Amino acid sequence: MLTLKQGRQLQTVLLGTLAWLVALTIFFPIFWMILTSFKTEIDAFATPPQLFFTPTLENYLHIDARSDYFHFAWNSVVVSFGSTLLGMLLAVPAAYSMAFFETKRTKSTLLWMLSTKMLPPVGVLVPIYLIFKDFGLLDTKFGLVLIYTLINLPIMVWMVYTYFKEIPKDILEAARLDGATALQEIYRVLLPISKGGLASTVLLSLILSWNEAFWSLNLTASSAAPLTALVASYSSPEGLFWAKLSAVSTLACAPILIFGWLSQKQLVRGLSFGAVK
Amino acid sequence: MLTLKQGRQLQTVLLGTLAWLVALTIFFPIFWMILTSFKTEIDAFATPPQLFFTPTLENYLHIDARSDYFHFAWNSVVVSFGSTLLGMLLAVPAAYSMAFFETKRTKSTLLWMLSTKMLPPVGVLVPIYLIFKDFGLLDTKFGLVLIYTLINLPIMVWMVYTYFKEIPKDILEAARLDGATALQEIYRVLLPISKGGLASTVLLSLILSWNEAFWSLNLTASSAAPLTALVASYSSPEGLFWAKLSAVSTLACAPILIFGWLSQKQLVRGLSFGAVK
Amino acid sequence: MSDLTIRNLKKSFEDIHIIKGIDLDIKDHEFVVFVGPSGCGKSTLLRLIAGLEEVTSGSIQLDERDITDVAPAKRDLAMVFQSYALYPHMTVRKNMSFALDLAGIDKAEIQRKVEDAAKVLELGPLLERKPKALSGGQRQRVAIGRSIVRNPKIFLFDEPLSNLDAALRVLMRLELARLHKELNATMIYVTHDQVEAMTLADKVVVLNAGRVEQVGSPLELYHHPVNQFVAGFIGTPKMAFLKGTVKAVSNAGVTVALDCGPHYQLPHQSTSLKPGDDITFGIRPENIEVVAADQSPFKVRLDVTEHLGADTYCYIKLANGEMMTVRAPGDFMADYGQNAGLLPDLSQAHLFDASGKTIPRPRPPAQAA
Amino acid sequence: MSDLTIRNLKKSFEDIHIIKGIDLDIKDHEFVVFVGPSGCGKSTLLRLIAGLEEVTSGSIQLDERDITDVAPAKRDLAMVFQSYALYPHMTVRKNMSFALDLAGIDKAEIQRKVEDAAKVLELGPLLERKPKALSGGQRQRVAIGRSIVRNPKIFLFDEPLSNLDAALRVLMRLELARLHKELNATMIYVTHDQVEAMTLADKVVVLNAGRVEQVGSPLELYHHPVNQFVAGFIGTPKMAFLKGTVKAVSNAGVTVALDCGPHYQLPHQSTSLKPGDDITFGIRPENIEVVAADQSPFKVRLDVTEHLGADTYCYIKLANGEMMTVRAPGDFMADYGQNAGLLPDLSQAHLFDASGKTIPRPRPPAQAA
C-alpha cells in the first residue's frame, strides 16, 4: 500500500498533468497560427506540417499592400468601446434595481435575460436584418454598437448584479441614514465600492465585442466592417492562401490578445464572481 | 419632499420598468422570427412591417419538401451530446485536481484556460482547418465533437471547479478517515453532492454546442452538418426569401428553446454559481 | 431633549406579523436595551425607529414631532450596524465626515467635529486608514464615531458587539458604558445576549414574539420577573423550573408540593391561587446549597459537575426527568452519580401560575430598586 | 488499550513552523483537551494525529505501533469535525454506516452497530433523515455517532461545539461528558474556549505558539499555573496582573511593592528572586473584596460596575493605567467613579518573575489535586 505522502504526490502529479494537457491543447492552435503566418504559402500547406522552416514577412507585406488594416481596426475600436459604454449605462441602473429592490419578479427577469444567451444567433438573423434595413442601420458603426449592446447586455447586467449583491445592504442603509439620495448612493457609495467588478465587466464586454464575428459579417459591408470582417474577406473565395489568412488573423487578434494578456488578472477576478480569492 | 414610502415606490417602479424593457428588447426578435415564419414572402418583406396578417404554413411545407430536417437535427443531437460527454469526462478529474490539490500553478492554469474563451475564433480557423484536413476529420461528426469539446472545456472545467470548491474539504477528509480511496471519494461523495451543479454544466454544454454556428459552417459540408448549417444554407444565395429563412430558423431553434425552457431553473441556478439562493 | 414615544406600533411583512402592537416611552439620557430571543422582533423595532422599514400602523414621536413617515436622514438619529457598515472605499476620516459632507456643512467645521469625535474614541492615529486596515474593535469605534459627529438625538445600536470575540466584547461593552456616561446621550441598543442587556442598560425591554414582556431595570428583571419567560431568559445558568401543585394558601403564604418530592411553604401572597392548582417553582442556581443527603428533604443524585475555578456548576437530573443547575463554590468536590441534598433559599424562590404569570413575592426594602 | 505517545513532533508549512517539537503521552480512557489561542497549533496537532497532515519530523505511536506515516483510515481513530462534515446526500443511517460499508462488513452487522450507536445518542427516529433536515445539535450527534460505530481506539474532536449557540453548547458539553463516562473511551478534544477545557478535561494541554505551556488537571491549571500565559488564559474574568518590584526575600516569603501603591508580604518561596527584581502580582477577581476606602491601603476609584444578578463585576482602572476586575456579590452597589478600597486574599495570590515564570506558592493539602 502507498503511504499517505506517496499517495498524495501521485495524485497531484497525475491530475496536474491532465490539467496542463487540457490547457495546452487549447493553446496549441494559436501558437500554430502565429507560426504559419511567418511561413511561405508552400510551407504552410506542406503535409506533414512543418515545425522548422525559414521565416518570412511576405504575408504581412502582402496584407499591408492590399487592405487598409487601420480602417478595420478603428471600426473595431469604435464599436467595442461604444457598445461597452452604452451597455454599462443600461446595466448599472438595471442591476441596482434588481440587487437592492428585489421583488418577486426580479429572479424571473434575470433568468429570462440570461436565457437569451442560450438562443442560437442564426435564429434571430432575419428579423434583425430586416429591422436594420428599415432603420438604415446596415453597415453603420452605430448599428453594430446597438446589436453588440443587446448581445452583451444580459451577461453585463448579470455580472454587475452579482457584484452589487456582494455589497452588504447595511452600507446602503448607512448612506441613507447619512442623508444620501438615491443618486448619491449610486455615485458616491455603490460605484466606488464595486469598481473592480465593473472594470471586469467593461473588459469582458470589450473583448466579446471585439471578437464578435457573426453579426459583423452579416450586418456590415465595408464602411463599418471591423477586423473580424477583414479576416473573413481573406478566407472565403481564395481558400488556399493559408499563410496570408494566418497573418491577417494574427493581426486581427494581436490587439485583443495583448490587451487581454495585460488585463488577465482583473478579468479572471471578475469572471470568478468572488470564487477564487 | 417625498415620504419614505413614496420614494421607494417610485424607485421600484422606475427601475423595474427599465429591467423589463431590457428583457423585452432582447426577446422581441424571437417573437418576430416566429411571426414571420407564418407570413407569405410578400407580407414578410412589407414596409412597414406587418403585425396582422393571414398566417400560412407554406414556408414549413416548402422546407419539408426541400431538406431532410431530421438528418440535420440528428447530427445536432449526436454532436451536442457527444461533446458534452467527452467534455465532462475531461472536466471532472481536471476540476477535482484543481479544487482539492491546489498548487501555486492551479490559479494560473485556470486563468490560462479561461482566457482562451477571449480569443477570436476566426483567429484559429486556419490551423484547425489544416489539422482537420490532415487527420481526415472534415465533415465528420467526430471532428465536430472534438472541436466543441475544446471550445467548451474551459468553461466546463471552470464551472465544475466552482462547484467542487463549494464542497467543504472536511467532507472529503471525513471520507478519507472513513477509508475511502480517491476513486471512491469522487464517485461516492463528490459527484453525488455536486450533481446539481454538474447537471447545469451538462445543460450549458448541450445548449452551447447546439447553437454553435461558426465551426459547424466551416468544418462540415453535408454528411455531418447540424441544424445551424441548415439555416445557413437558406440564407446566403437566395437572400430574399425571408419567410422561409424564418421558418427554418424557427425549426432549428425550436428544440433548444423548448429544452432550455424546460431546464431553465436548473440552468440559471448553475450559472449563478450560488449567488442567487 | 430627546424623548421617544411609540404608540401601538405594528409591522407585518406580507402575512407575517413581526411587531404586534408596541407602546414604549424612552426618556432623555436613558440607555435602553431591547433584548429577546432571535425572531422576537427586536431588530425590526429598531429599524422602524430608524426609518429603514415602513411602519404598518401606529406612530413614532420624537419630542412631540411625528416621525413615523419621515425619511431616515431627517429623523436626527444615528445608527451603528451589526456589521459596522463602514464605507470600504473611504478613509476613517471620510467615513466619519460623509454625513456632514452631504449636509453641505463648512469644511473647517467638519474637520473640527471629526477630530473631536476621534479624540473621544482614540481614533486620532487611524484617521487616514481604510476600514480593511482596522481590527474589529477599531471598526466598531469608527462606526460609533460616525454616529457621534452627527450629534444625533438618539443613538441606535443593532447588536454591535456580536461580531467581536469574547474578550473584545467585554472591553467594548465597558467602552460603550463609559461613552454613554460621557456623552450623556440617549441610546437604544438591541441584543440577544442577556448579559449585555444586564450590564449596559438603565432600562431593559424584554421582547418575545413581537410583544413587550417586561420593561424594567436589570436587577428588577432579575429579582422580580413578571413571568416565567423573563425569569428563564435573564440569568446564566438558567433558573431551574420545578413543577408542582398548590397544597394550601393562607396569609402566611403558599404551600406547594413539588412533583420531585419536597413540600415548601413560601412567603408569596396570592388571592387567585387555590389548593390543587398547577404551579411552577423557580429557583436560581446561586440560591441553592448542596449539602449531605441526610441534611435535606430534597434528595438528588448529582450528574456531571463542572469546575470553572471560581465556581462549580452541578447538573442534576431529577427522578421525574426535570433538569436543574446548582452553583457551588469553586472548591466543591463531588463524584458523578453521588447522592446529595439540596437546600434552596426560599426567600429568593419564585412562583409562576399555570399561565406562566408570576405570583409576586414580598420585597425586602433593599431590593426594591 | 489505547495509549498515544508523541515524541518531538514538528510540522512546518513551507517556512512557517506551526508545531515546534511536542512530546505528549495520552493514556487509555483519558479525556484530554488541547486548548490555546487561535494560531497556537492545536488543530494542526490534532490533524497530525488523525493523519490528515503529513508530519515534518518526529513520531506518533499508538500502543507501540508507529502510525506516523500510516493512512488515516488505518489508524483506528475517528474524528468529529468542527463543521460536522456529514455527507449531505446520505441519510443519517448511511452517514453512520459509510465507513463500515467501505470496509466490506456484513450488512446485518452494520445494521446492528448503527442501531446500537443510534440508541446511545437517541438518534433512532432520525435515521432516515438527511443532514439538512436536522438541527445543529442533532448534526453534532450524528457526527459523533459516525465515530462510535467504528469503535475506534481514540476519538478526536475538533472544536465540535463552536458552531452551536450558547444554550446548546452547554447541553452538548454535558452530553459529551456523559458519553465519555459511558463509553469509557479515550478522547482528544480541541477548543479555544477555556471554559470547555475546564469543564470537560481530565487533562488539559495548554498550547501556545506551537509549544506545550502546561499539562495538568483543570484545577491544577487554575490554582497553580506554571506561567503568566496559562494564568491569564484560564479563568473568566481574567486574572488581574499588577506590576511591582521585589522589596525583600526571606524564609517567611517575598515582600513586593506594587507600582499602583500597596506593599504586600506573600508566602511564596523563591531562591532566585532578589530585591529590586521586577515582578508581576496576579490575583483572580473572586479573591478580592471591595471595602470602604479607609479600610484598606489599596485605594482605587471604581469605574463601570456590571450587575449580572448573581454576581457584580467591578472594573477598575488604576492610577498607573493598569486594569483589573473584581467580582463582588450580586447585591453589591456602587456609583461610577466612587472611591473604594481593595482587600486581596494573599493566600490565593500569584507571583510571576520578569520572564513570566511562576514563583511557586505553598499548597494547602486540600488543593494539591
Side-chain angles (χ1 to χ4, degrees), chain C residues 306-320:
Chain C
E306 292 186 344
H307 291 278
L308 288 151
D311 301 307
T312 304
Y313 290 148
C314 303
Y315 295 92
I316 296 165
K317 195 171 188 177
L318 299 171
N320 63 345

Side-chain angles (χ1 to χ4, degrees), chain C residues 193-251:
Chain C
D193 179 358
Q194 55 93 17
V195 174
E196 277 175 32
M198 292 289 286
T199 55
L200 283 171
D202 295 321
K203 184 154 96 183
V204 179
V205 179
V206 182
L207 292 164
N208 186 30
R211 293 187 197 283
V212 173
E213 294 279 348
Q214 187 170 5
V215 179
S217 75
L219 289 182
E220 172 79 14
L221 299 185
Y222 193 81
H223 293 295
H224 301 285
V226 297
N227 57 34
Q228 199 176 337
F229 174 82
V230 175
F233 189 75
I234 303 281
T236 33
K238 267 193 170 43
M239 184 187 285
F241 294 117
L242 306 175
K243 296 262 173 220
T245 318
V246 175
K247 280 290 155 193
V249 183
S250 71
N251 281 346

Side-chain angles (χ1 to χ4, degrees), chain D residues 282-310:
Chain D
I283 185 86
R284 295 201 182 272
E286 70 269 22
N287 296 325
I288 310 173
E289 203 185 336
V290 185
V291 294
D294 54 2
Q295 289 186 294
S296 161
F298 193 169
K299 294 179 202 315
V300 296
R301 266 183 87 228
L302 299 181
D303 196 23
V304 174
T305 307
E306 293 186 344
H307 290 278
L308 288 150

Side-chain angles (χ1 to χ4, degrees), chain A residues 11 15 26-27 30 33 97 101 107 111-112 116 118-119 123 126 129 182 211 242 245 257 264 272 276, chain B residues 11 15 26-27 30 33 97 101 107 111-112 116 118-119 123 126 129 158 182 211 242 245 257 264 276:
Chain A
Q11 274 183 330
L15 296 169
I26 291 165
F27 262 91
I30 297 161
M33 171 187 77
S97 101
F101 298 91
K107 268 184 206 166
L111 202 143
W112 204 23
T116 58
M118 303 297 129
L119 292 174
V126 188
Y129 189 92
N211 292 344
W242 297 116
L245 186 51
L257 281 178
Q264 224 176 18
S272 72
V276 172
Chain B
Q11 275 183 330
L15 296 169
I26 292 167
F27 262 90
I30 297 163
M33 171 185 77
S97 103
F101 299 90
K107 270 185 203 163
L111 202 146
W112 203 24
T116 58
M118 303 297 128
L119 292 175
V126 187
Y129 190 91
W158 176 257
N211 292 345
W242 296 116
L245 187 51
L257 281 178
Q264 223 176 19
V276 173

Side-chain angles (χ1 to χ4, degrees), chain D residues 275-348:
Chain D
D277 280 359
D278 283 343
I279 197 123
T280 301
F281 172 88
I283 185 86
R284 295 201 182 272
E286 70 269 22
N287 296 325
I288 310 173
E289 203 185 336
V290 185
V291 294
D294 54 2
Q295 289 186 294
S296 161
F298 193 169
K299 294 179 202 315
V300 296
R301 266 183 87 228
L302 299 181
D303 196 23
V304 174
T305 307
E306 293 186 344
H307 290 278
L308 288 150
D311 302 306
T312 304
Y313 290 147
C314 303
Y315 295 91
I316 296 165
K317 195 170 186 177
L318 299 172
N320 63 345
E322 287 174 331
M323 299 285 306
M324 64 187 295
T325 309
V326 174
R327 176 164 123 166
D331 53 6
F332 176 84
M333 289 290 161
D335 291 328
Y336 181 66
Q338 179 181 323
N339 288 312
L342 299 184
L343 279 184
D345 176 355
L346 296 183
S347 75
Q348 298 293 326

Side-chain angles (χ1 to χ4, degrees), chain D residues 81-286:
Chain D
F81 290 82
Q82 181 171 7
S83 61
Y84 320 139
L86 300 181
Y87 308 122
H89 58 300
M90 299 184 191
T91 60
V92 168
R93 182 189 296 279
K94 284 270 175 201
N95 261 284
M96 288 168 72
S97 67
F98 189 59
L100 305 177
D101 230 28
L102 290 176
I105 288 172
D106 177 65
K107 295 267 176 212
E109 168 106 8
I110 291 179
Q111 174 145 5
R112 193 182 52 73
K113 285 193 171 181
V114 168
E115 273 164 19
D116 283 357
K119 201 175 295 162
V120 173
L121 294 160
E122 298 170 16
L123 288 170
L126 308 175
L127 277 179
E128 307 310 328
R129 292 215 197 147
K130 291 273 181 76
K132 66 170 174 234
L134 303 179
S135 69
Q138 289 169 336
R139 284 178 204 190
Q140 184 59 266
R141 290 219 297 278
V142 175
I144 295 170
R146 193 166 64 175
S147 300
I148 291 178
V149 292
R150 293 179 51 200
N151 192 24
K153 289 197 169 176
I154 301 183
F155 289 89
L156 307 176
F157 295 91
D158 189 7
E159 310 219 13
L161 305 185
S162 59
N163 287 338
L164 302 177
D165 68 30
L168 203 52
R169 206 144 58 210
V170 173
L171 284 180
M172 285 303 302
R173 209 163 75 195
L174 292 175
E175 212 160 309
L176 276 176
R178 229 172 264 136
L179 199 69
H180 176 237
K181 296 212 160 71
E182 281 171 24
L183 296 178
N184 203 8
T186 309
M187 295 186 169
I188 303 178
Y189 186 105
V190 163
T191 181
H192 65 273
D193 178 0
Q194 55 92 17
V195 174
E196 277 174 33
M198 291 290 285
T199 55
L200 284 170
D202 295 321
K203 184 154 96 182
V204 178
V205 178
V206 182
L207 291 165
N208 186 30
R211 292 185 199 284
V212 173
E213 294 279 348
Q214 187 169 5
V215 179
S217 75
L219 289 182
E220 172 77 15
L221 298 186
Y222 193 79
H223 293 295
H224 301 287
V226 297
N227 58 34
Q228 199 177 336
F229 174 83
V230 176
F233 189 76
I234 303 282
T236 33
K238 266 193 170 40
M239 185 187 284
F241 294 117
L242 306 176
K243 295 266 174 215
T245 316
V246 175
K247 281 288 157 198
V249 183
S250 71
N251 281 346
V254 180
T255 308
V256 298
L258 299 186
D259 294 357
C260 54
H263 290 224
Y264 291 118
Q265 176 161 13
L266 297 156
H268 297 63
Q269 299 298 324
S270 169
T271 52
S272 58
L273 288 181
K274 51 185 193 304
D277 280 359
D278 283 343
I279 197 123
T280 301
F281 172 88
I283 185 86
R284 295 201 182 272
E286 70 269 22

Side-chain angles (χ1 to χ4, degrees), chain C residues 162-173:
Chain C
S162 58
N163 287 337
L164 301 177
D165 68 31
L168 203 51
R169 203 142 62 210
V170 172
L171 284 180
M172 286 303 302
R173 209 163 76 195

